[in-house]
Amino acid sequence: MVELASKIKSLRKSAGLTQQQVADALEIKRSAYAYYEIGKSFPKLSVIKKMSALFNVTVDELLSEEQEGDLHANNNFDLGWRTTDGFNQLSDFEQSVLLRVRLMSYEDREKLMEYLSTMNI
């Protein structure tokens, strides 16, 4: 059985994210996230849902007994979030914004795009 702790640690590392970056995106303390990764505590369902969006996997995939290799095969994290794609070259603010956009619903992303299109930037 593969635990949630090892899955989220593996997904975080494959995405090239730090514990702090994930914690910030999930709006929790880094220590709380670290406890999830070592299996010392279990996240609330609301946090699990955010993790699934952030790591681009389903809640079922996170909580299932599926092997890590199979989970990585299904993971579509090729959306510019890897360290090798320059993500870590962005400022902390820029990283935070991008990670939070990743957690937005489709409707909220559409609203954001509407708002941005009205700005003169």
Side-chain angles (χ1 to χ4, degrees), residues 14-15 23 29-30 32 34 36-37 44-45 48 52 54 58-59 61 66 70 72 84 87 89 97 104 107 114 118:
S14 74
K29 293 183 179 184
R30 190 206 57 80
Y36 302 154
E37 277 197 6
K44 295 179 182 178
L45 181 57
I48 290 173
S52 73
L54 181 65
T58 66
V59 170
E61 288 171 324
E66 183 176 328
D70 296 336
H72 286 292
T84 56
F87 180 77
Q89 294 176 3
V97 168
M104 289 178 149
E107 293 79 19
E114 264 182 48
T118 64

PDB file of all heavy atoms in Angstrom, residues 14-15 23 29-30 32 34 36-37 44-45 48 52 54 58-59 61 66 70 72 84 87 89 97 104 107 114 118:
ATOM      1  N   SER A  14       8.647  15.722  -8.172  1.00  0.00           N
ATOM      2  CA  SER A  14       8.644  15.613  -9.631  1.00  0.00           C
ATOM      3  C   SER A  14       8.207  16.921 -10.283  1.00  0.00           C
ATOM      4  O   SER A  14       8.573  17.199 -11.417  1.00  0.00           O
ATOM      5  CB  SER A  14       7.764  14.454 -10.099  1.00  0.00           C
ATOM      6  OG  SER A  14       6.407  14.758  -9.968  1.00  0.00           O
ATOM      7  N   ALA A  15       7.444  17.724  -9.546  1.00  0.00           N
ATOM      8  CA  ALA A  15       7.029  19.034 -10.051  1.00  0.00           C
ATOM      9  C   ALA A  15       8.100  20.093  -9.828  1.00  0.00           C
ATOM     10  O   ALA A  15       7.993  21.208 -10.344  1.00  0.00           O
ATOM     11  CB  ALA A  15       5.739  19.461  -9.366  1.00  0.00           C
ATOM     12  N   ALA A  23       2.877  24.596   0.351  1.00  0.00           N
ATOM     13  CA  ALA A  23       2.134  25.092   1.514  1.00  0.00           C
ATOM     14  C   ALA A  23       1.517  26.457   1.223  1.00  0.00           C
ATOM     15  O   ALA A  23       0.354  26.700   1.551  1.00  0.00           O
ATOM     16  CB  ALA A  23       3.044  25.165   2.738  1.00  0.00           C
ATOM     17  N   LYS A  29       0.416  26.250   6.684  1.00  0.00           N
ATOM     18  CA  LYS A  29       1.793  26.416   7.140  1.00  0.00           C
ATOM     19  C   LYS A  29       2.665  25.309   6.559  1.00  0.00           C
ATOM     20  O   LYS A  29       2.198  24.187   6.342  1.00  0.00           O
ATOM     21  CB  LYS A  29       1.861  26.377   8.663  1.00  0.00           C
ATOM     22  CG  LYS A  29       1.190  27.571   9.300  1.00  0.00           C
ATOM     23  CD  LYS A  29       1.335  27.531  10.797  1.00  0.00           C
ATOM     24  CE  LYS A  29       0.675  28.766  11.394  1.00  0.00           C
ATOM     25  NZ  LYS A  29       0.859  28.823  12.840  1.00  0.00           N
ATOM     26  N   ARG A  30       3.935  25.640   6.339  1.00  0.00           N
ATOM     27  CA  ARG A  30       4.862  24.647   5.805  1.00  0.00           C
ATOM     28  C   ARG A  30       4.977  23.449   6.743  1.00  0.00           C
ATOM     29  O   ARG A  30       5.035  22.307   6.310  1.00  0.00           O
ATOM     30  CB  ARG A  30       6.252  25.241   5.562  1.00  0.00           C
ATOM     31  CG  ARG A  30       7.143  24.266   4.776  1.00  0.00           C
ATOM     32  CD  ARG A  30       8.622  24.454   5.026  1.00  0.00           C
ATOM     33  NE  ARG A  30       9.007  24.349   6.413  1.00  0.00           N
ATOM     34  CZ  ARG A  30       9.196  23.196   7.079  1.00  0.00           C
ATOM     35  NH1 ARG A  30       9.018  22.041   6.485  1.00  0.00           N
ATOM     36  NH2 ARG A  30       9.547  23.207   8.342  1.00  0.00           N
ATOM     37  N   ALA A  32       2.702  22.178   8.612  1.00  0.00           N
ATOM     38  CA  ALA A  32       1.526  21.319   8.434  1.00  0.00           C
ATOM     39  C   ALA A  32       1.707  20.441   7.200  1.00  0.00           C
ATOM     40  O   ALA A  32       1.442  19.231   7.234  1.00  0.00           O
ATOM     41  CB  ALA A  32       0.260  22.154   8.313  1.00  0.00           C
ATOM     42  N   ALA A  34       4.553  19.597   5.833  1.00  0.00           N
ATOM     43  CA  ALA A  34       5.641  18.649   6.123  1.00  0.00           C
ATOM     44  C   ALA A  34       5.108  17.449   6.897  1.00  0.00           C
ATOM     45  O   ALA A  34       5.506  16.305   6.636  1.00  0.00           O
ATOM     46  CB  ALA A  34       6.757  19.339   6.892  1.00  0.00           C
ATOM     47  N   TYR A  36       2.141  16.217   6.640  1.00  0.00           N
ATOM     48  CA  TYR A  36       1.430  15.372   5.676  1.00  0.00           C
ATOM     49  C   TYR A  36       2.409  14.471   4.937  1.00  0.00           C
ATOM     50  O   TYR A  36       2.133  13.297   4.705  1.00  0.00           O
ATOM     51  CB  TYR A  36       0.663  16.201   4.647  1.00  0.00           C
ATOM     52  CG  TYR A  36      -0.363  17.157   5.195  1.00  0.00           C
ATOM     53  CD1 TYR A  36      -0.716  18.292   4.479  1.00  0.00           C
ATOM     54  CD2 TYR A  36      -0.988  16.946   6.423  1.00  0.00           C
ATOM     55  CE1 TYR A  36      -1.673  19.174   4.956  1.00  0.00           C
ATOM     56  CE2 TYR A  36      -1.931  17.831   6.906  1.00  0.00           C
ATOM     57  CZ  TYR A  36      -2.264  18.953   6.174  1.00  0.00           C
ATOM     58  OH  TYR A  36      -3.201  19.837   6.645  1.00  0.00           O
ATOM     59  N   GLU A  37       3.556  15.031   4.557  1.00  0.00           N
ATOM     60  CA  GLU A  37       4.540  14.267   3.793  1.00  0.00           C
ATOM     61  C   GLU A  37       5.202  13.155   4.599  1.00  0.00           C
ATOM     62  O   GLU A  37       5.651  12.173   4.020  1.00  0.00           O
ATOM     63  CB  GLU A  37       5.634  15.187   3.221  1.00  0.00           C
ATOM     64  CG  GLU A  37       5.242  15.853   1.942  1.00  0.00           C
ATOM     65  CD  GLU A  37       6.424  16.431   1.171  1.00  0.00           C
ATOM     66  OE1 GLU A  37       7.602  16.226   1.562  1.00  0.00           O
ATOM     67  OE2 GLU A  37       6.163  17.089   0.162  1.00  0.00           O
ATOM     68  N   LYS A  44      -7.194  17.665   5.751  1.00  0.00           N
ATOM     69  CA  LYS A  44      -8.649  17.742   5.608  1.00  0.00           C
ATOM     70  C   LYS A  44      -8.993  17.532   4.133  1.00  0.00           C
ATOM     71  O   LYS A  44      -8.163  17.738   3.254  1.00  0.00           O
ATOM     72  CB  LYS A  44      -9.156  19.121   6.046  1.00  0.00           C
ATOM     73  CG  LYS A  44      -8.960  19.413   7.501  1.00  0.00           C
ATOM     74  CD  LYS A  44      -9.476  20.810   7.817  1.00  0.00           C
ATOM     75  CE  LYS A  44      -9.241  21.158   9.269  1.00  0.00           C
ATOM     76  NZ  LYS A  44      -9.678  22.518   9.593  1.00  0.00           N
ATOM     77  N   LEU A  45     -10.230  17.167   3.885  1.00  0.00           N
ATOM     78  CA  LEU A  45     -10.676  16.934   2.517  1.00  0.00           C
ATOM     79  C   LEU A  45     -10.483  18.172   1.642  1.00  0.00           C
ATOM     80  O   LEU A  45     -10.078  18.065   0.485  1.00  0.00           O
ATOM     81  CB  LEU A  45     -12.144  16.491   2.497  1.00  0.00           C
ATOM     82  CG  LEU A  45     -12.725  16.180   1.114  1.00  0.00           C
ATOM     83  CD1 LEU A  45     -11.911  15.092   0.407  1.00  0.00           C
ATOM     84  CD2 LEU A  45     -14.176  15.770   1.233  1.00  0.00           C
ATOM     85  N   ILE A  48      -6.972  18.189   0.550  1.00  0.00           N
ATOM     86  CA  ILE A  48      -6.735  17.114  -0.418  1.00  0.00           C
ATOM     87  C   ILE A  48      -7.237  17.532  -1.796  1.00  0.00           C
ATOM     88  O   ILE A  48      -6.586  17.292  -2.812  1.00  0.00           O
ATOM     89  CB  ILE A  48      -7.394  15.798   0.051  1.00  0.00           C
ATOM     90  CG1 ILE A  48      -6.644  15.258   1.272  1.00  0.00           C
ATOM     91  CG2 ILE A  48      -7.424  14.767  -1.077  1.00  0.00           C
ATOM     92  CD1 ILE A  48      -7.287  14.067   1.927  1.00  0.00           C
ATOM     93  N   SER A  52      -4.950  17.858  -5.153  1.00  0.00           N
ATOM     94  CA  SER A  52      -5.217  17.152  -6.407  1.00  0.00           C
ATOM     95  C   SER A  52      -5.195  18.129  -7.581  1.00  0.00           C
ATOM     96  O   SER A  52      -4.668  17.805  -8.643  1.00  0.00           O
ATOM     97  CB  SER A  52      -6.532  16.383  -6.346  1.00  0.00           C
ATOM     98  OG  SER A  52      -7.641  17.240  -6.399  1.00  0.00           O
ATOM     99  N   LEU A  54      -3.535  21.026  -7.639  1.00  0.00           N
ATOM    100  CA  LEU A  54      -2.162  21.505  -7.771  1.00  0.00           C
ATOM    101  C   LEU A  54      -1.286  20.495  -8.495  1.00  0.00           C
ATOM    102  O   LEU A  54      -0.507  20.849  -9.379  1.00  0.00           O
ATOM    103  CB  LEU A  54      -1.577  21.810  -6.388  1.00  0.00           C
ATOM    104  CG  LEU A  54      -0.154  22.352  -6.361  1.00  0.00           C
ATOM    105  CD1 LEU A  54      -0.089  23.727  -7.020  1.00  0.00           C
ATOM    106  CD2 LEU A  54       0.354  22.426  -4.934  1.00  0.00           C
ATOM    107  N   THR A  58      -6.447  13.249  -9.723  1.00  0.00           N
ATOM    108  CA  THR A  58      -7.753  13.233  -9.073  1.00  0.00           C
ATOM    109  C   THR A  58      -7.590  12.928  -7.581  1.00  0.00           C
ATOM    110  O   THR A  58      -6.564  12.385  -7.155  1.00  0.00           O
ATOM    111  CB  THR A  58      -8.678  12.174  -9.696  1.00  0.00           C
ATOM    112  OG1 THR A  58      -8.145  10.880  -9.416  1.00  0.00           O
ATOM    113  CG2 THR A  58      -8.838  12.380 -11.198  1.00  0.00           C
ATOM    114  N   VAL A  59      -8.617  13.251  -6.827  1.00  0.00           N
ATOM    115  CA  VAL A  59      -8.627  12.908  -5.405  1.00  0.00           C
ATOM    116  C   VAL A  59      -8.530  11.394  -5.259  1.00  0.00           C
ATOM    117  O   VAL A  59      -7.798  10.893  -4.400  1.00  0.00           O
ATOM    118  CB  VAL A  59      -9.890  13.464  -4.708  1.00  0.00           C
ATOM    119  CG1 VAL A  59     -10.026  12.920  -3.297  1.00  0.00           C
ATOM    120  CG2 VAL A  59      -9.868  14.996  -4.699  1.00  0.00           C
ATOM    121  N   GLU A  61      -7.037   9.310  -7.205  1.00  0.00           N
ATOM    122  CA  GLU A  61      -5.661   8.896  -7.452  1.00  0.00           C
ATOM    123  C   GLU A  61      -4.779   9.154  -6.230  1.00  0.00           C
ATOM    124  O   GLU A  61      -3.911   8.353  -5.908  1.00  0.00           O
ATOM    125  CB  GLU A  61      -5.087   9.610  -8.670  1.00  0.00           C
ATOM    126  CG  GLU A  61      -5.657   9.115  -9.983  1.00  0.00           C
ATOM    127  CD  GLU A  61      -5.250   9.959 -11.166  1.00  0.00           C
ATOM    128  OE1 GLU A  61      -5.141  11.197 -11.041  1.00  0.00           O
ATOM    129  OE2 GLU A  61      -5.036   9.373 -12.244  1.00  0.00           O
ATOM    130  N   GLU A  66      -3.041   2.867  -5.536  1.00  0.00           N
ATOM    131  CA  GLU A  66      -2.308   2.780  -6.798  1.00  0.00           C
ATOM    132  C   GLU A  66      -0.818   3.019  -6.555  1.00  0.00           C
ATOM    133  O   GLU A  66      -0.442   3.811  -5.705  1.00  0.00           O
ATOM    134  CB  GLU A  66      -2.870   3.875  -7.722  1.00  0.00           C
ATOM    135  CG  GLU A  66      -2.311   3.911  -9.098  1.00  0.00           C
ATOM    136  CD  GLU A  66      -3.019   4.968  -9.942  1.00  0.00           C
ATOM    137  OE1 GLU A  66      -4.213   5.218  -9.732  1.00  0.00           O
ATOM    138  OE2 GLU A  66      -2.352   5.531 -10.805  1.00  0.00           O
ATOM    139  N   ASP A  70       2.505   4.354 -11.458  1.00  0.00           N
ATOM    140  CA  ASP A  70       1.279   4.510 -12.229  1.00  0.00           C
ATOM    141  C   ASP A  70       0.724   5.915 -12.084  1.00  0.00           C
ATOM    142  O   ASP A  70       0.215   6.484 -13.031  1.00  0.00           O
ATOM    143  CB  ASP A  70       0.227   3.504 -11.771  1.00  0.00           C
ATOM    144  CG  ASP A  70       0.640   2.063 -12.027  1.00  0.00           C
ATOM    145  OD1 ASP A  70       1.479   1.837 -12.919  1.00  0.00           O
ATOM    146  OD2 ASP A  70       0.134   1.180 -11.314  1.00  0.00           O
ATOM    147  N   HIS A  72       2.470   8.655 -11.558  1.00  0.00           N
ATOM    148  CA  HIS A  72       3.293   9.560 -12.360  1.00  0.00           C
ATOM    149  C   HIS A  72       2.978   9.428 -13.840  1.00  0.00           C
ATOM    150  O   HIS A  72       3.034  10.400 -14.570  1.00  0.00           O
ATOM    151  CB  HIS A  72       4.777   9.312 -12.111  1.00  0.00           C
ATOM    152  CG  HIS A  72       5.240   9.828 -10.796  1.00  0.00           C
ATOM    153  ND1 HIS A  72       5.295  11.162 -10.511  1.00  0.00           N
ATOM    154  CD2 HIS A  72       5.662   9.181  -9.678  1.00  0.00           C
ATOM    155  CE1 HIS A  72       5.737  11.335  -9.280  1.00  0.00           C
ATOM    156  NE2 HIS A  72       5.960  10.143  -8.745  1.00  0.00           N
ATOM    157  N   THR A  84      13.022  22.903 -14.234  1.00  0.00           N
ATOM    158  CA  THR A  84      13.773  22.998 -15.479  1.00  0.00           C
ATOM    159  C   THR A  84      13.128  23.952 -16.473  1.00  0.00           C
ATOM    160  O   THR A  84      13.766  24.364 -17.422  1.00  0.00           O
ATOM    161  CB  THR A  84      13.915  21.617 -16.142  1.00  0.00           C
ATOM    162  OG1 THR A  84      12.620  21.066 -16.346  1.00  0.00           O
ATOM    163  CG2 THR A  84      14.751  20.689 -15.279  1.00  0.00           C
ATOM    164  N   PHE A  87      10.534  27.886 -13.619  1.00  0.00           N
ATOM    165  CA  PHE A  87       9.577  28.289 -12.583  1.00  0.00           C
ATOM    166  C   PHE A  87      10.283  28.907 -11.383  1.00  0.00           C
ATOM    167  O   PHE A  87       9.875  29.936 -10.870  1.00  0.00           O
ATOM    168  CB  PHE A  87       8.727  27.095 -12.147  1.00  0.00           C
ATOM    169  CG  PHE A  87       7.712  27.422 -11.088  1.00  0.00           C
ATOM    170  CD1 PHE A  87       6.541  28.078 -11.418  1.00  0.00           C
ATOM    171  CD2 PHE A  87       7.937  27.080  -9.766  1.00  0.00           C
ATOM    172  CE1 PHE A  87       5.596  28.387 -10.452  1.00  0.00           C
ATOM    173  CE2 PHE A  87       7.004  27.377  -8.793  1.00  0.00           C
ATOM    174  CZ  PHE A  87       5.832  28.039  -9.137  1.00  0.00           C
ATOM    175  N   GLN A  89      12.946  30.451 -11.304  1.00  0.00           N
ATOM    176  CA  GLN A  89      13.596  31.721 -11.625  1.00  0.00           C
ATOM    177  C   GLN A  89      12.647  32.893 -11.432  1.00  0.00           C
ATOM    178  O   GLN A  89      13.069  34.042 -11.440  1.00  0.00           O
ATOM    179  CB  GLN A  89      14.128  31.695 -13.057  1.00  0.00           C
ATOM    180  CG  GLN A  89      15.245  30.698 -13.237  1.00  0.00           C
ATOM    181  CD  GLN A  89      15.706  30.602 -14.675  1.00  0.00           C
ATOM    182  OE1 GLN A  89      15.237  31.325 -15.542  1.00  0.00           O
ATOM    183  NE2 GLN A  89      16.621  29.697 -14.933  1.00  0.00           N
ATOM    184  N   VAL A  97       1.428  33.424  -7.396  1.00  0.00           N
ATOM    185  CA  VAL A  97       0.297  33.720  -8.284  1.00  0.00           C
ATOM    186  C   VAL A  97       0.032  32.538  -9.208  1.00  0.00           C
ATOM    187  O   VAL A  97      -1.117  32.093  -9.354  1.00  0.00           O
ATOM    188  CB  VAL A  97       0.550  35.012  -9.099  1.00  0.00           C
ATOM    189  CG1 VAL A  97      -0.465  35.171 -10.213  1.00  0.00           C
ATOM    190  CG2 VAL A  97       0.542  36.233  -8.189  1.00  0.00           C
ATOM    191  N   MET A 104      -7.420  27.439  -9.130  1.00  0.00           N
ATOM    192  CA  MET A 104      -8.709  28.075  -9.438  1.00  0.00           C
ATOM    193  C   MET A 104      -9.605  27.142 -10.245  1.00  0.00           C
ATOM    194  O   MET A 104      -9.123  26.336 -11.039  1.00  0.00           O
ATOM    195  CB  MET A 104      -8.499  29.341 -10.279  1.00  0.00           C
ATOM    196  CG  MET A 104      -7.906  30.494  -9.566  1.00  0.00           C
ATOM    197  SD  MET A 104      -7.696  31.842 -10.765  1.00  0.00           S
ATOM    198  CE  MET A 104      -7.911  33.219  -9.693  1.00  0.00           C
ATOM    199  N   GLU A 107     -14.217  28.412 -13.962  1.00  0.00           N
ATOM    200  CA  GLU A 107     -15.005  29.642 -13.975  1.00  0.00           C
ATOM    201  C   GLU A 107     -14.202  30.823 -13.418  1.00  0.00           C
ATOM    202  O   GLU A 107     -14.250  31.922 -13.965  1.00  0.00           O
ATOM    203  CB  GLU A 107     -16.303  29.472 -13.166  1.00  0.00           C
ATOM    204  CG  GLU A 107     -17.294  28.497 -13.761  1.00  0.00           C
ATOM    205  CD  GLU A 107     -16.955  27.032 -13.487  1.00  0.00           C
ATOM    206  OE1 GLU A 107     -16.176  26.750 -12.548  1.00  0.00           O
ATOM    207  OE2 GLU A 107     -17.471  26.178 -14.218  1.00  0.00           O
ATOM    208  N   GLU A 114     -11.040  37.626 -18.002  1.00  0.00           N
ATOM    209  CA  GLU A 114     -11.889  38.778 -18.350  1.00  0.00           C
ATOM    210  C   GLU A 114     -11.367  40.035 -17.715  1.00  0.00           C
ATOM    211  O   GLU A 114     -11.250  41.073 -18.351  1.00  0.00           O
ATOM    212  CB  GLU A 114     -13.334  38.530 -17.872  1.00  0.00           C
ATOM    213  CG  GLU A 114     -14.248  37.978 -18.898  1.00  0.00           C
ATOM    214  CD  GLU A 114     -15.658  37.819 -18.342  1.00  0.00           C
ATOM    215  OE1 GLU A 114     -16.189  38.775 -17.719  1.00  0.00           O
ATOM    216  OE2 GLU A 114     -16.212  36.725 -18.526  1.00  0.00           O
ATOM    217  N   THR A 118      -9.399  43.647 -19.441  1.00  0.00           N
ATOM    218  CA  THR A 118      -9.869  45.039 -19.322  1.00  0.00           C
ATOM    219  C   THR A 118      -8.758  45.984 -18.886  1.00  0.00           C
ATOM    220  O   THR A 118      -8.919  47.190 -18.973  1.00  0.00           O
ATOM    221  CB  THR A 118     -11.019  45.148 -18.309  1.00  0.00           C
ATOM    222  OG1 THR A 118     -10.536  44.802 -16.997  1.00  0.00           O
ATOM    223  CG2 THR A 118     -12.188  44.256 -18.684  1.00  0.00           C
TER     224      THR A 118
END
